PDB file of all heavy atoms in Angstrom:
ATOM      1  N   PRO A  43      -0.866   5.278   5.049  1.00 82.00           N
ATOM      2  CA  PRO A  43       0.159   4.681   4.190  1.00 82.00           C
ATOM      3  C   PRO A  43       0.073   3.158   4.140  1.00 82.00           C
ATOM      4  O   PRO A  43       0.299   2.558   3.094  1.00 82.00           O
ATOM      5  CB  PRO A  43       1.474   5.134   4.825  1.00 82.00           C
ATOM      6  CG  PRO A  43       1.127   6.373   5.572  1.00 82.00           C
ATOM      7  CD  PRO A  43      -0.278   6.162   6.056  1.00 82.00           C
ATOM      8  N   GLN A  44      -0.254   2.521   5.249  1.00 84.00           N
ATOM      9  CA  GLN A  44      -0.376   1.065   5.261  1.00 84.00           C
ATOM     10  C   GLN A  44      -1.565   0.604   4.418  1.00 84.00           C
ATOM     11  O   GLN A  44      -1.480  -0.396   3.712  1.00 84.00           O
ATOM     12  CB  GLN A  44      -0.503   0.550   6.698  1.00 84.00           C
ATOM     13  CG  GLN A  44       0.761   0.708   7.516  1.00 84.00           C
ATOM     14  CD  GLN A  44       1.934  -0.094   6.968  1.00 84.00           C
ATOM     15  OE1 GLN A  44       1.778  -1.156   6.401  1.00 84.00           O
ATOM     16  NE2 GLN A  44       3.130   0.437   7.125  1.00 84.00           N
ATOM     17  N   LYS A  45      -2.672   1.336   4.484  1.00 87.00           N
ATOM     18  CA  LYS A  45      -3.840   0.989   3.657  1.00 87.00           C
ATOM     19  C   LYS A  45      -3.491   1.109   2.182  1.00 87.00           C
ATOM     20  O   LYS A  45      -3.910   0.294   1.368  1.00 87.00           O
ATOM     21  CB  LYS A  45      -5.025   1.904   3.989  1.00 87.00           C
ATOM     22  CG  LYS A  45      -5.667   1.622   5.319  1.00 87.00           C
ATOM     23  CD  LYS A  45      -6.805   2.594   5.586  1.00 87.00           C
ATOM     24  CE  LYS A  45      -7.337   2.431   6.994  1.00 87.00           C
ATOM     25  NZ  LYS A  45      -8.359   3.444   7.314  1.00 87.00           N
ATOM     26  N   GLN A  46      -2.715   2.128   1.830  1.00 89.00           N
ATOM     27  CA  GLN A  46      -2.305   2.302   0.440  1.00 89.00           C
ATOM     28  C   GLN A  46      -1.404   1.153  -0.006  1.00 89.00           C
ATOM     29  O   GLN A  46      -1.495   0.701  -1.143  1.00 89.00           O
ATOM     30  CB  GLN A  46      -1.588   3.635   0.257  1.00 89.00           C
ATOM     31  CG  GLN A  46      -2.514   4.826   0.385  1.00 89.00           C
ATOM     32  CD  GLN A  46      -1.767   6.147   0.374  1.00 89.00           C
ATOM     33  OE1 GLN A  46      -0.565   6.205   0.618  1.00 89.00           O
ATOM     34  NE2 GLN A  46      -2.487   7.218   0.085  1.00 89.00           N
ATOM     35  N   LYS A  47      -0.565   0.665   0.879  1.00 91.00           N
ATOM     36  CA  LYS A  47       0.295  -0.464   0.540  1.00 91.00           C
ATOM     37  C   LYS A  47      -0.524  -1.734   0.337  1.00 91.00           C
ATOM     38  O   LYS A  47      -0.236  -2.518  -0.574  1.00 91.00           O
ATOM     39  CB  LYS A  47       1.359  -0.678   1.630  1.00 91.00           C
ATOM     40  CG  LYS A  47       2.446   0.375   1.598  1.00 91.00           C
ATOM     41  CD  LYS A  47       3.514   0.110   2.631  1.00 91.00           C
ATOM     42  CE  LYS A  47       4.608   1.159   2.535  1.00 91.00           C
ATOM     43  NZ  LYS A  47       5.728   0.870   3.429  1.00 91.00           N
ATOM     44  N   VAL A  48      -1.532  -1.942   1.171  1.00 91.00           N
ATOM     45  CA  VAL A  48      -2.411  -3.103   1.004  1.00 91.00           C
ATOM     46  C   VAL A  48      -3.109  -3.031  -0.355  1.00 91.00           C
ATOM     47  O   VAL A  48      -3.166  -4.020  -1.097  1.00 91.00           O
ATOM     48  CB  VAL A  48      -3.439  -3.192   2.157  1.00 91.00           C
ATOM     49  CG1 VAL A  48      -4.526  -4.200   1.853  1.00 91.00           C
ATOM     50  CG2 VAL A  48      -2.742  -3.543   3.471  1.00 91.00           C
ATOM     51  N   ASN A  49      -3.639  -1.862  -0.692  1.00 91.00           N
ATOM     52  CA  ASN A  49      -4.309  -1.694  -1.984  1.00 91.00           C
ATOM     53  C   ASN A  49      -3.344  -1.905  -3.145  1.00 91.00           C
ATOM     54  O   ASN A  49      -3.707  -2.515  -4.159  1.00 91.00           O
ATOM     55  CB  ASN A  49      -4.959  -0.313  -2.073  1.00 91.00           C
ATOM     56  CG  ASN A  49      -6.163  -0.192  -1.166  1.00 91.00           C
ATOM     57  OD1 ASN A  49      -6.780  -1.179  -0.785  1.00 91.00           O
ATOM     58  ND2 ASN A  49      -6.498   1.032  -0.797  1.00 91.00           N
ATOM     59  N   ALA A  50      -2.122  -1.423  -3.012  1.00 92.00           N
ATOM     60  CA  ALA A  50      -1.117  -1.609  -4.066  1.00 92.00           C
ATOM     61  C   ALA A  50      -0.788  -3.096  -4.236  1.00 92.00           C
ATOM     62  O   ALA A  50      -0.643  -3.579  -5.366  1.00 92.00           O
ATOM     63  CB  ALA A  50       0.143  -0.817  -3.745  1.00 92.00           C
ATOM     64  N   ALA A  51      -0.689  -3.837  -3.141  1.00 93.00           N
ATOM     65  CA  ALA A  51      -0.408  -5.275  -3.212  1.00 93.00           C
ATOM     66  C   ALA A  51      -1.556  -6.014  -3.895  1.00 93.00           C
ATOM     67  O   ALA A  51      -1.331  -6.890  -4.734  1.00 93.00           O
ATOM     68  CB  ALA A  51      -0.157  -5.837  -1.820  1.00 93.00           C
ATOM     69  N   LYS A  52      -2.785  -5.658  -3.558  1.00 94.00           N
ATOM     70  CA  LYS A  52      -3.948  -6.293  -4.197  1.00 94.00           C
ATOM     71  C   LYS A  52      -3.942  -6.036  -5.702  1.00 94.00           C
ATOM     72  O   LYS A  52      -4.222  -6.936  -6.496  1.00 94.00           O
ATOM     73  CB  LYS A  52      -5.245  -5.775  -3.579  1.00 94.00           C
ATOM     74  CG  LYS A  52      -5.508  -6.284  -2.185  1.00 94.00           C
ATOM     75  CD  LYS A  52      -6.784  -5.679  -1.627  1.00 94.00           C
ATOM     76  CE  LYS A  52      -7.060  -6.136  -0.210  1.00 94.00           C
ATOM     77  NZ  LYS A  52      -8.277  -5.513   0.351  1.00 94.00           N
ATOM     78  N   LEU A  53      -3.617  -4.816  -6.077  1.00 94.00           N
ATOM     79  CA  LEU A  53      -3.557  -4.463  -7.497  1.00 94.00           C
ATOM     80  C   LEU A  53      -2.466  -5.244  -8.215  1.00 94.00           C
ATOM     81  O   LEU A  53      -2.681  -5.736  -9.334  1.00 94.00           O
ATOM     82  CB  LEU A  53      -3.277  -2.961  -7.622  1.00 94.00           C
ATOM     83  CG  LEU A  53      -4.348  -2.169  -8.329  1.00 94.00           C
ATOM     84  CD1 LEU A  53      -4.317  -0.730  -7.880  1.00 94.00           C
ATOM     85  CD2 LEU A  53      -4.198  -2.269  -9.799  1.00 94.00           C
ATOM     86  N   GLN A  54      -1.297  -5.380  -7.585  1.00 95.00           N
ATOM     87  CA  GLN A  54      -0.206  -6.118  -8.210  1.00 95.00           C
ATOM     88  C   GLN A  54      -0.567  -7.590  -8.356  1.00 95.00           C
ATOM     89  O   GLN A  54      -0.245  -8.205  -9.379  1.00 95.00           O
ATOM     90  CB  GLN A  54       1.085  -5.964  -7.400  1.00 95.00           C
ATOM     91  CG  GLN A  54       2.289  -6.619  -8.053  1.00 95.00           C
ATOM     92  CD  GLN A  54       2.601  -6.058  -9.424  1.00 95.00           C
ATOM     93  OE1 GLN A  54       2.815  -4.871  -9.574  1.00 95.00           O
ATOM     94  NE2 GLN A  54       2.614  -6.909 -10.434  1.00 95.00           N
ATOM     95  N   ILE A  55      -1.242  -8.152  -7.375  1.00 95.00           N
ATOM     96  CA  ILE A  55      -1.670  -9.556  -7.472  1.00 95.00           C
ATOM     97  C   ILE A  55      -2.617  -9.720  -8.654  1.00 95.00           C
ATOM     98  O   ILE A  55      -2.529 -10.695  -9.412  1.00 95.00           O
ATOM     99  CB  ILE A  55      -2.294 -10.027  -6.146  1.00 95.00           C
ATOM    100  CG1 ILE A  55      -1.199 -10.187  -5.084  1.00 95.00           C
ATOM    101  CG2 ILE A  55      -3.048 -11.338  -6.333  1.00 95.00           C
ATOM    102  CD1 ILE A  55      -1.709 -10.449  -3.676  1.00 95.00           C
ATOM    103  N   GLU A  56      -3.528  -8.782  -8.849  1.00 95.00           N
ATOM    104  CA  GLU A  56      -4.441  -8.838  -9.998  1.00 95.00           C
ATOM    105  C   GLU A  56      -3.660  -8.733 -11.311  1.00 95.00           C
ATOM    106  O   GLU A  56      -3.988  -9.410 -12.289  1.00 95.00           O
ATOM    107  CB  GLU A  56      -5.499  -7.735  -9.910  1.00 95.00           C
ATOM    108  CG  GLU A  56      -6.557  -7.989  -8.857  1.00 95.00           C
ATOM    109  CD  GLU A  56      -7.294  -9.305  -9.050  1.00 95.00           C
ATOM    110  OE1 GLU A  56      -7.708  -9.620 -10.188  1.00 95.00           O
ATOM    111  OE2 GLU A  56      -7.459 -10.032  -8.045  1.00 95.00           O
ATOM    112  N   ASN A  57      -2.617  -7.897 -11.341  1.00 94.00           N
ATOM    113  CA  ASN A  57      -1.773  -7.798 -12.540  1.00 94.00           C
ATOM    114  C   ASN A  57      -1.079  -9.131 -12.826  1.00 94.00           C
ATOM    115  O   ASN A  57      -0.974  -9.549 -13.979  1.00 94.00           O
ATOM    116  CB  ASN A  57      -0.731  -6.692 -12.380  1.00 94.00           C
ATOM    117  CG  ASN A  57      -1.319  -5.314 -12.481  1.00 94.00           C
ATOM    118  OD1 ASN A  57      -2.424  -5.124 -12.977  1.00 94.00           O
ATOM    119  ND2 ASN A  57      -0.580  -4.321 -11.998  1.00 94.00           N
ATOM    120  N   PHE A  58      -0.594  -9.786 -11.774  1.00 95.00           N
ATOM    121  CA  PHE A  58       0.032 -11.105 -11.943  1.00 95.00           C
ATOM    122  C   PHE A  58      -0.974 -12.106 -12.501  1.00 95.00           C
ATOM    123  O   PHE A  58      -0.650 -12.877 -13.407  1.00 95.00           O
ATOM    124  CB  PHE A  58       0.578 -11.636 -10.608  1.00 95.00           C
ATOM    125  CG  PHE A  58       1.871 -11.016 -10.160  1.00 95.00           C
ATOM    126  CD1 PHE A  58       2.040 -10.634  -8.851  1.00 95.00           C
ATOM    127  CD2 PHE A  58       2.936 -10.834 -11.031  1.00 95.00           C
ATOM    128  CE1 PHE A  58       3.230 -10.083  -8.402  1.00 95.00           C
ATOM    129  CE2 PHE A  58       4.135 -10.280 -10.605  1.00 95.00           C
ATOM    130  CZ  PHE A  58       4.285  -9.901  -9.281  1.00 95.00           C
TER     131      PHE A  58
END
Side-chain angles (χ1 to χ4, degrees):
Q44 291 297 328
K45 288 179 187 175
Q46 290 173 341
K47 286 183 178 186
V48 168
N49 289 337
K52 288 178 182 178
L53 241 155
Q54 185 60 57
I55 288 171
E56 287 303 314
N57 287 342
F58 283 136

